[in-house]
Every structure is written in structure tokens, then in C-alpha cells.
Amino acid sequence: MANIFGYTIAIIGLIIIALSKKIAEICDLAIITSKDRFLEIQDGAKKNGMTDKRILLCDNPSEILSHITTICKKDDTVLLEGRVPEELIKLLNKD
């Protein structure tokens, strides 16, 4: 929490709003791997035009890999950010 000009603001809330807006703008598919703040991210992304089918909560590395390989084509870029399961990184690095 921060006190700015007499207002108490939850900075994390502002970050979630900005993040969910950007997710809706640029992502074909968002796979969120942690329950922390998922509902807020999902709600914000949906308010900015993203559908339920394009924002998923999944922490199982095999299922995440399945989602990625279903939607992605050769030479597509996948951004992995935050708490990415080590097992997923190993699965993605397999030839």
C-alpha cells in the first residue's frame, strides 16, 4: 500500500490492471501458472476484450506444453515469465 496525495492505493492493483489490459491487447493465448491474482488478471483481460478460451489457469507442465504446441507454429515466439515450472522448461527444450 502507498499513501499518495492522501489516498491509499494498492500498487499491486494498478499493476494487475495494466498487466491484464496488455495481455488482452497482445496475447493470442495467456496461460497463467499461478493461482495468485489469476481471477483479477482474468477479469481485467476479459474487460478489455479477451475471451475465457484465451486466458487459462494451468500449473501442470505437460498440459501447458500441450496448449503451447496446439496453438503455436514453427518459429512462433512464446514468452515465459515469472514462476515457470522447471519441468516445463525441460519439456520445451527437448528436440
Side-chain angles (χ1 to χ4, degrees), residues 33-53:
T33 62
S34 172
K35 292 177 186 175
D36 298 341
R37 303 282 184 201
F38 172 73
L39 293 177
E40 293 98 325
I41 294 169
Q42 181 187 45
D43 184 55
K46 286 170 55 177
K47 284 180 181 174
N48 285 281
M50 192 168 219
T51 64
D52 282 331
K53 291 181 180 181

Side-chain angles (χ1 to χ4, degrees), residues 7-89:
Y7 296 95
T8 301
I9 298 175
I11 300 298
I12 192 72
L14 297 175
I15 293 169
I16 296 297
I17 291 168
L19 173 67
S20 58
K21 182 177 181 184
K22 191 53 82 174
I23 286 171
E25 288 175 9
I26 65 171
C27 292
D28 293 316
L29 175 67
I31 303 171
I32 311 301
T33 62
S34 172
K35 292 177 186 175
D36 298 341
R37 303 282 184 201
F38 172 73
L39 293 177
E40 293 98 325
I41 294 169
Q42 181 187 45
D43 184 55
K46 286 170 55 177
K47 284 180 181 174
N48 285 281
M50 192 168 219
T51 64
D52 282 331
K53 291 181 180 181
R54 292 180 45 218
I55 185 162
L56 310 172
L57 173 62
C58 184
D59 62 359
N60 179 299
S62 296
E63 288 180 34
I64 295 168
L65 180 64
S66 176
H67 289 297
I68 291 171
T69 56
T70 299
I71 194 169
C72 293
K73 300 178 292 298
K74 183 176 170 49
D75 297 325
D76 279 356
T77 300
V78 175
L79 171 64
L80 301 174
E81 193 281 325
R83 295 170 265 173
V84 179
E86 188 67 34
E87 183 181 342
L88 176 60
I89 294 169

